[in-house]
Amino acid sequence: MSEQARPYPVLMETLDDIGERTDTTLRCIDHEPEVWESRMQTTCECLSKAGILDNLERRHAEDRLGESIYKRFPVQTRSVLTVAHTLMDRGLFTEQALRDKMSSVRARLEEK
């Protein structure tokens, strides 16, 4: 990842859905993980084991991006943002592919 990382609009647009960070302390991460958080951690472990995104590298990127580009996002969402950001930087999928997948998931959830 470059030193001057650029924000991806598809990720920045999610701030409207989840709401801006209001708690600037780390106590906001001291909670029982939600199902999506546990699944995200599992996904990160799988990406690391497969050699796609090392956990230590992801954590460093999360620190760097979380306090710069994604500072306005809640702390517990930063792993998701960092993984998506890094995988797009590496060309594993495009911003449009992510946007299409997010639209598909939203449509399925709205059906329920």
Side-chain angles (χ1 to χ4, degrees):
M1 195 172 334
S2 69
E3 290 300 317
Q4 295 293 345
R6 69 176 181 89
Y8 286 97
V10 68
L11 298 176
M12 297 306 290
E13 292 161 11
T14 63
L15 188 59
D16 293 335
D17 295 332
I18 61 175
E20 195 156 337
R21 178 181 183 186
T22 57
D23 189 348
T24 58
T25 68
L26 287 182
R27 69 182 165 162
C28 61
I29 62 171
D30 186 26
H31 68 283
E32 187 69 30
E34 293 186 37
V35 173
W36 73 266
E37 291 173 287
S38 296
R39 289 180 179 166
M40 184 64 211
Q41 186 58 43
T42 301
T43 300
C44 290
E45 293 297 328
C46 291
L47 290 169
S48 183
K49 184 162 178 65
I52 296 168
L53 180 58
D54 179 71
N55 276 326
L56 185 57
E57 179 185 1
R58 176 186 52 81
R59 288 183 186 124
H60 287 304
E62 192 174 324
D63 289 344
R64 189 173 57 254
L65 294 171
E67 288 305 319
S68 59
I69 295 173
Y70 302 119
K71 187 174 189 163
R72 295 171 41 214
F73 285 82
V75 172
Q76 61 269 32
T77 65
R78 292 180 185 174
S79 286
V80 175
L81 295 163
T82 299
V83 168
H85 187 111
T86 303
L87 296 181
M88 284 190 286
D89 276 356
R90 293 181 179 181
L92 292 168
F93 54 86
T94 65
E95 189 171 2
Q96 188 58 50
L98 179 58
R99 187 180 305 282
D100 293 345
K101 180 56 89 173
M102 289 168 64
S103 294
S104 171
V105 169
R106 280 189 182 109
R108 277 198 327 254
L109 292 173
E110 289 170 1
E111 289 175 1
K112 293 182 179 187

